[in-house]
Amino acid sequence: MARVFVYGTLKKGQPNYKYMINTAKGLAKFQGRGRTVEKYPLVIAGKYNIPYMLNIPGTGHHVAGEIYSVDDQMLQFLDEFEGCPDMYQRTLMRIEVVEWEGKGGVGEARAAAEGVLECFVYSTATYPPEWVGLPYYDSYDSLGKHGLSYVLRESR
């Protein structure tokens, strides 16, 4: 099992969460909530108002999200869903545990208790330069005050 940190439309209550609980795509088990140890710019960009974490460590905010334990099948689905490696790149990042529900091995429990885990995160280093000038967010909600409604894939 691999750990994945999601910060956008795949979180609980967001438009694409349905994929995280679709066992036909693989298994994804909610472990807890966290935030990036380093600051990153989280922007909402493009004509479909997609959330992107720009891979610019040290800029922006500590981005909030959810930590999942996923099997190989789900990881492969997420790579395809996220357009990896063209649109997003899957990289390891340090995630500070804010709230932990996960039940796993002793090593995992110890890492969670110490407060920092390494998780795969879909961020991007391949973005138009003007995105750096967009507003930065510390968390994403498709119905947030930003007023930028996410456009579902099936509606594009």
Side-chain angles (χ1 to χ4, degrees), residues 96-117:
E96 176 188 356
V97 176
V98 174
E99 183 182 306
W100 189 252
E101 288 183 14
K103 295 169 185 67
V106 172
E108 186 170 289
R110 188 178 305 120
E114 289 169 6
V116 175
L117 297 171

Side-chain angles (χ1 to χ4, degrees), residues 3-156:
R3 266 195 295 268
V4 175
F5 176 77
V6 298
Y7 57 84
T9 65
L10 291 167
K11 295 188 306 184
K12 290 181 181 182
Q14 296 303 311
N16 291 320
Y17 177 66
K18 61 189 174 202
Y19 298 114
M20 297 300 284
I21 57 174
N22 181 348
T23 54
K25 307 285 185 200
L27 297 175
K29 187 170 182 269
F30 178 76
Q31 298 284 281
R33 293 182 311 108
R35 64 186 202 142
T36 58
V37 169
E38 289 195 75
K39 294 179 177 182
Y40 289 92
L42 172 58
V43 301
I44 301 171
K47 62 182 176 179
Y48 303 122
N49 296 321
I50 297 171
Y52 293 92
M53 185 189 301
L54 307 184
N55 198 344
I56 310 172
T59 301
H61 301 284
H62 299 283
V63 176
E66 297 173 349
I67 301 163
Y68 287 84
S69 184
V70 303
D71 67 5
D72 289 343
Q73 183 184 349
M74 178 59 79
L75 193 61
Q76 186 176 349
F77 166 78
L78 290 171
D79 280 354
E80 291 167 17
F81 182 82
E82 299 289 12
C84 187
D86 302 323
M87 191 158 114
Y88 292 92
Q89 296 80 48
R90 175 166 46 95
T91 56
L92 279 172
M93 287 186 190
R94 290 168 18 96
I95 303 298
E96 176 188 356
V97 176
V98 174
E99 183 182 306
W100 189 252
E101 288 183 14
K103 295 169 185 67
V106 172
E108 186 170 289
R110 188 178 305 120
E114 289 169 6
V116 175
L117 297 171
E118 285 225 317
C119 299
F120 284 121
V121 180
Y122 292 92
S123 63
T124 184
T126 53
Y127 52 85
E130 60 270 18
W131 286 10
V132 176
L134 294 171
Y136 298 164
Y137 300 93
D138 61 356
S139 71
Y140 175 79
D141 183 341
S142 61
L143 301 174
K145 293 178 185 170
H146 49 71
L148 301 168
S149 296
Y150 174 78
V151 179
L152 290 167
R153 288 178 181 219
E154 47 271 27
S155 303
R156 296 179 191 168

